Amino acid sequence: MLSDALQMAGRSKMAPCVCLGLLGVLCWVWVSFASFPDDQLSLGTMDAVDRAAFQPQSALSEMEFASVSSYRGPGNLDGRSNKELPILLWWSAGLFPHFSGDSERIDCARSSCLATSNRKVQLYKRTASIIFYGTDFRAYEAPLPRLQHQTWALFHEESPMNNYLLSHGPGLRLFNYTGTLSRESDYPLTLQWLPFLDYLFTPASVSLEEKTRLRGEALAPVLYMQSHCDVPSDRDRFVKELMKYIQVDSYGKCLNNKPLPGNLEDTSTATEEEQSFMTFVARYKFHLALENGLCPDYMTEKLWRPLHQGCVPVYRGSSVVADWMPNNHSAIVVDDFSSPQALAEFLKRLDENDDEYREYLEFKNPKRVTNARLLDALESREWGVNDMTKPNYLNGFECYVCDQENARLAAARAHRKGPNTSKPPQAKVAKNSHMGCPLPSPGYGHVQDLPADDGWLQTWPQDYWQSLDQAEGLESLIRHNESDPSLLWKHIQSMAVRRARGKP
């Protein structure tokens, strides 16, 4: 998904960007190709860097930004020159949605900014916001000191297992703006794996009649295909128990009991929806669609791909997946059953009753899609997936931050000029609901019943709680205005000692 977005971004002068105007009109922004030359950005000693942080906004006056005629979105009347615009710094250079190494002007819905991945501008006064990619964000590498005039923005569309620091309130409170998998975030990416509504309406790749015939040739009713086995959702433990009660064909490295055909052994075919692979897995009535991590709005291709193919997903992941299904009869939710055995008995019944099974595919008829939330979300989202007629979500979030920052800076200027007539800008802080995910739990059984040497037990719960320590440690670093992130461990240790002594 991320690679698709990166391919869509920064490949031509006409780079896509979301307009957030009054009517939500989509537009394209023209970005100018401009770079921070290394010789002009050479900061020399640390003293020079420290001084740069307190220089006036003309500090970048010697830097050259190409001036081109920009197409501005409806509502963008920003006539400032490049040298007057606030700067957005993409801290994760690999996510920078423009040409690598460049710094570009972006013209968004209501305002304009300069965007760069050049960390040399971190301490500059005009650098208004730093944008982080959640998977790459590490407390011991955070850009410190955190300057009072800068905001932090979080972009994170991936699994909670990639960074459990973001599953805790103290970790999320570090950020002012969020674009995450959660519907509660400032810029929701919840349906990133569903490219468009018609994706669901594609006719079944393999007919029910053919699936029934294949069942008679010893094909199992249930498919499992995973090669990433050690994950916080502990899905293999669940599948291993399920296998005691129903036949499951498992082709991946995890619980493998059947080899893939030679022409499908390249795992890239599974990620790119290669047709022969898709047809192969579509032969199965049921797909075990088990996410690698559990979080309320975290749903991936494991859920949407079986629906696309005309198979029934047996799903465990998002606890509120029903909120996003085409109708209330299109997926089988693992957590609705008291045990793997109870689930297996239900699947066997559907396997033997074609009429009941067909009810789970009725959403293929657009008239049977009854979920207004799903329809509204797909209709109103401003970004597209593999759709060059719409902007991608990287550029969209960048523009969201740009417009928010310009509004914040304008409010601050108005307050300075007329403190009695203009209120200062209100601080915007992310909430736990913007990403926070629960403590990992065993895929089957109770945590207290696991042996002490269980590999999952020794890994994921510990990672979860250690991430909380790191989040609180980084908060402490910022609170003490530290400039050395390597002091994180010292602050964590000090907090642990205080807790042991019963002190806050």
Side-chain angles (χ1 to χ4, degrees), residues 20 30 183 202 406 450:
L20 307 175
W30 190 279
R183 74 185 85 178
T202 304
N406 274 290
L450 301 181

Side-chain angles (χ1 to χ4, degrees), residues 426-452:
Q426 297 298 307
K428 187 175 176 60
V429 179
K431 301 177 182 178
N432 194 52
S433 61
H434 286 205
M435 177 69 193
C437 305
L439 172 70
S441 59
Y444 173 70
H446 302 285
V447 66
Q448 60 267 27
D449 298 329
L450 301 181

